[in-house]
């Protein structure tokens, strides 16, 4: 099926599709970020209007299309370099910290310590086994 | 608008197509953001009833019944008349109209007439009038029927020998109760009653409730499905152990109307209309009672009533205020 699709997608159409799906992915991620921020401020606010599960699946589907079309157009997907993306990382870290504080706000000190240590241990383990 | 994939070059024709699509995608995103903001700031409230599952908890329309008060279990409307209620929380602000929609079963006859009249008050205030009371109230113990009792974090309402926990403070305030009337009671005193189900916003006021009409200055006692007028000041004083629920006598006469029209829908057969709410907004009460005349027998599948808000400054300020309250409440109760 993919070879048939590759034949249908000529060079220009696949390039156009790649660019458009990149745009839609960007906009979906902005929408997701805003809805997550609203949900962090008022639990149930965003989820009463739409499903985060469906939105996550839509983003992954869009991402899949971007990767597929990127391969057709010989786009290389390299990992982000920390030095060149400090601002993005800083913003992500601030947003992540806000969500964590919001989620852990009402737990006791000991519960917060246990949750953080366990989460860091899992992240460290995932980092070690990534290769 | 900026290009996220500058490394991919297109020839001029395809670049034009991309520019057009690029603009279209951003336009759709902007329109969706505006639409979502509108739905958040001017929320509608949907009530519905699925006649295939009449006992399901998802049904928010209250007690579809015949005009003779016979509860309808299925959507088979014999005689072509239907009555039901919707109970709205009082914090939601002013709605400007109700969009009513009825979906018919495939084998149902068409709706011939489709006239709807809508009244607003408290559900118990719609009760028929009973025999007036001309003798003062005798002693019926510490807590007469209709008393509000508190124990721990819960508030209860009594109805003769039964006691019902009130589900939340929204129900409490929407039903017109006054916090000053809540009497602290011990667990033994609460335990002396038979415990009933949760008292929700959709329930009518129980026996012992006193209504006072703002416009005509009359007092009514709710008793066994009727409202009985209290005649004479000594009688009124003997019954008035707590603040009465304020109602409007004119709510029984003031109505809003619409006529059902068939929708253009290829998936099902449905009829709808819009009922304006301007003449009902100032009336006291949280219950909207609908009387529908279909003009002949019909088989209903589903009934929907959507309360819609007008686009205005007051509703916008109320929505923002509710959002602010939710942020601070979420911080306190999480």
């Amino acid at each position: 099926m993919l070879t048939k699709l590759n034949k249908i997608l000529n060079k220009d159409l696949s390039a156009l599709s790649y660019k458009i799906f990149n745009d839609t992915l960007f906009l979906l991620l902005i929408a997701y970020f805003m809805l997550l921020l609203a949900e962090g401020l008022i639990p149930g606010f965003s989820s009463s209007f739409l499903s985060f599960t469906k939105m996550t699946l839509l983003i992954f589907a869009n991402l899949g299309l971007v990767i597929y079309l990127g391969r057709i157009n010989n786009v290389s997907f390299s990992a982000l370099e920390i030095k060149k993306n400090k601002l993005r990382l800083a913003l992500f870290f601030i947003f992540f910290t806000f969500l964590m504080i919001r989620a852990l706000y009402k737990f006791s000190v000991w519960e917060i310590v246990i949750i953080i240590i366990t989460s860091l241990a899992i992240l460290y383990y995932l980092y070690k086994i990534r290769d | 608008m900026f290009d996220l994939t500058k490394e991919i070059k297109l020839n001029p024709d395809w670049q034009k197509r991309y520019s057009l699509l690029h603009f279209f995608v951003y336009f759709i995103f902007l329109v969706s953001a505006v639409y979502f903001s509108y739905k958040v700031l001017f929320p509608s409230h949907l009530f519905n009833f699925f006649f295939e599952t009449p006992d399901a908890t998802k049904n928010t329309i209250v007690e579809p019944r015949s005009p003779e008060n016979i509860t309808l279990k299925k959507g088979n409307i014999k005689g072509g008349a239907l009555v039901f209620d919707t109970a709205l929380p009082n914090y939601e602000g002013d709605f400007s109209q109700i969009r009513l929609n009825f979906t018919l079963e495939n084998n149902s006859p068409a709706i011939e007439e489709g006239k709807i009249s809508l009244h607003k008050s408290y559900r118990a205030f719609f009760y028929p009038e009973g025999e007036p009371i001309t003798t003062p109230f005798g002693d019926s113990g510490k807590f007469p029927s209709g008393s509000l009792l508190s124990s721990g974090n819960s508030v209860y309402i009594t109805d003769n020998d039964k006691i019902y926990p009130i589900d939340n403070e929204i129900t409490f305030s929407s039903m017109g109760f006054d916090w000053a009337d809540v009497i602290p009671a011990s667990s033994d005193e609460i335990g002396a009653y038979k415990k009933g189900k949760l008292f929700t916003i959709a329930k009518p006021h129980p026996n012992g409730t006193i209504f006072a009409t703002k416009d005509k200055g009359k007092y009514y006692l709710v008793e066994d499905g009727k409202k009985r007028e209290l005649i004479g000041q000594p009688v009124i004083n003997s019954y008035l152990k707590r603040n009465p629920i304020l109602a409007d006598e004119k709510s029984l006469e003031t109505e809003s109307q619409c006529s059902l029209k068939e929708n253009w829908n290829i998936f099902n057969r449905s009829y709808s209309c819009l009922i304006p709410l301007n003449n009902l907004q100032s009336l006291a009460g949280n219950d909207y009672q609908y009387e529908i005349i279909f003009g002949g027998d019909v088989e209903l599948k589903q009934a929907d009533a959507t309360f819609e808000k007008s686009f205005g400054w007051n509703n916008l300020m109320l929505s923002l205020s509710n959002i602010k309250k939710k942020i601070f409440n979420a911080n306190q109760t999480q």
Side-chain angles (χ1 to χ4, degrees):
Chain A
M1 189 179 115
L2 278 175
T3 37
K4 274 188 185 172
L5 198 58
N6 285 349
K7 281 181 188 170
I8 293 165
L9 287 169
N10 63 42
K11 189 176 177 299
D12 291 314
L13 182 59
S14 68
L16 175 76
S17 306
Y18 173 76
K19 287 170 86 72
I20 282 296
F21 281 115
N22 248 292
D23 291 331
T24 56
L25 181 63
F26 173 68
L27 292 172
L28 280 171
L29 287 171
I30 287 183
Y32 197 79
F33 161 75
M34 299 298 289
L35 291 167
L36 213 54
L37 188 65
E39 188 75 10
L41 279 171
I42 309 170
F45 181 81
S46 303
S47 50
S48 61
F49 290 99
L50 49 80
S51 162
F52 273 106
T53 311
K54 285 179 187 167
M55 197 153 181
T56 307
L57 289 171
L58 182 64
I59 288 172
F60 272 101
N62 198 143
L63 183 64
L65 277 168
V66 165
I67 293 169
Y68 169 68
L69 291 163
R71 290 217 170 114
I72 293 175
N73 288 282
N74 300 318
V75 173
S76 62
F77 296 102
S78 52
L80 287 174
E81 288 180 41
I82 292 175
K83 284 180 192 173
K84 290 182 183 176
N85 293 280
K86 281 180 185 169
L87 179 62
R88 279 184 201 175
L89 270 169
L91 288 171
F92 174 77
F93 183 72
I94 290 167
F95 181 62
F96 179 77
T97 308
F98 163 73
L99 287 180
M100 283 296 109
I101 291 171
R102 200 71 187 82
L104 298 172
Y105 183 67
K106 284 294 181 181
F107 284 93
S108 69
V109 175
W110 285 114
E111 285 167 337
I112 292 171
V113 168
I114 291 168
I115 289 168
I116 289 176
I117 289 173
T118 312
S119 302
L120 287 173
I122 292 170
L123 284 170
Y124 180 72
Y125 175 71
L126 288 171
Y127 173 75
K128 278 291 181 188
I129 65 163
R130 73 188 191 285
D131 294 321
Chain B
M1 285 166 211
F2 55 94
D3 188 349
L4 294 165
T5 48
K6 289 193 176 83
E7 69 278 10
I8 305 289
K9 304 286 180 203
L10 297 170
N11 66 40
D13 285 340
W14 284 93
Q15 183 59 40
K16 278 185 197 165
R17 285 174 192 148
Y18 170 65
S19 300
L20 204 61
L21 273 172
H22 182 83
F23 173 79
F24 182 69
V25 161
Y26 275 78
F27 178 74
I28 294 289
F29 175 77
L30 198 64
V31 166
S32 304
V34 168
Y35 177 74
F36 182 76
S37 304
Y38 177 77
K39 291 302 266 183
V40 166
L41 293 171
F42 301 96
S44 55
H45 196 130
L46 171 66
F47 296 88
N48 44 29
F49 196 91
F50 302 90
F51 287 92
E52 284 162 0
T53 50
D55 297 320
T57 49
K58 65 180 178 178
N59 291 327
T60 43
I61 281 177
V62 181
E63 271 189 45
R65 55 197 183 274
S66 66
E68 297 81 31
N69 269 333
I70 299 165
T71 306
L72 294 166
K73 278 293 177 183
K74 291 286 180 184
N76 194 350
I77 315 292
K78 293 280 181 205
L82 174 68
V83 178
F84 60 73
D85 298 78
T86 54
L88 198 65
N90 66 346
Y91 69 87
E92 292 200 353
D94 291 331
F95 290 94
S96 58
Q97 61 189 19
I98 302 174
R99 188 177 299 275
L100 272 172
N101 191 75
F102 294 94
T103 307
L104 269 52
E105 294 284 6
N106 291 336
N107 58 351
S108 167
I111 293 175
E112 292 169 27
E113 221 178 300
K115 289 216 183 319
I116 301 176
S117 37
L118 174 71
H119 293 84
K120 179 193 172 188
S121 185
Y122 291 102
R123 211 165 135 208
F125 198 70
F126 287 122
Y127 287 167
E129 277 203 49
E131 206 180 300
I133 296 173
T134 50
T135 50
F137 182 57
D139 182 21
S140 71
K142 194 173 178 186
F143 305 123
S145 190
S147 295
L148 292 163
L149 308 179
S150 70
S151 178
N153 289 331
S154 303
V155 176
Y156 302 83
I157 189 156
T158 63
D159 184 350
N160 295 331
D161 61 342
K162 288 202 178 119
I163 194 164
Y164 300 91
I166 297 177
D167 64 346
N168 55 48
E169 54 188 274
I170 294 166
T171 299
F172 188 95
S173 60
S174 299
M175 297 300 263
F177 295 133
D178 192 331
W179 289 105
D181 293 327
V182 178
I183 308 165
S186 65
S187 45
D188 288 338
E189 284 168 329
I190 301 286
Y193 289 88
K194 288 181 208 165
K195 210 149 179 203
K197 286 185 183 175
L198 271 183
F199 185 84
T200 64
I201 201 170
K203 297 278 183 212
H205 287 84
N207 291 321
T209 301
I210 308 285
F211 282 108
T213 58
K214 295 183 278 180
D215 42 358
K216 295 207 174 155
K218 289 185 180 178
Y219 289 81
Y220 295 91
L221 170 76
V222 172
E223 192 175 78
D224 299 331
K226 288 193 162 62
K227 57 178 195 277
R228 302 176 65 187
E229 192 184 344
L230 304 174
I231 309 287
Q233 202 56 50
V235 175
I236 294 167
N237 291 343
S238 71
Y239 276 90
L240 223 49
K241 304 292 181 203
R242 56 190 170 274
N243 291 303
I245 310 293
L246 296 176
D248 289 299
E249 196 88 43
K250 64 178 187 256
S251 60
L252 302 174
E253 295 137 13
T254 311
E255 65 176 25
S256 204
Q257 294 175 333
C258 74
S259 296
L260 289 170
K261 287 191 171 46
E262 191 163 7
N263 297 328
W264 189 81
N265 191 329
I266 55 170
F267 299 107
N268 51 45
R269 295 168 63 204
S270 63
Y271 292 74
S272 63
C273 70
L274 280 173
I275 305 184
L277 291 176
N278 5 28
N279 61 335
L280 301 179
Q281 273 170 3
S282 60
L283 297 173
N286 69 327
D287 186 81
Y288 292 78
Q289 192 167 90
Y290 309 74
E291 291 165 27
I292 304 107
I293 308 292
F294 292 112
D297 294 353
V298 289
E299 291 261 357
L300 292 179
K301 193 174 177 182
Q302 185 176 332
D304 303 297
T306 309
F307 283 71
E308 295 174 350
K309 278 197 181 176
S310 57
F311 182 73
W313 183 252
N314 289 338
N315 280 332
L316 173 65
M317 287 293 109
L318 183 68
S319 290
L320 291 172
S321 164
N322 283 338
I323 288 168
K324 191 177 99 175
K325 272 186 217 164
K326 281 180 189 173
I327 291 173
F328 287 115
N329 283 343
N331 279 331
Q332 284 162 12
T333 61
Q334 193 191 7

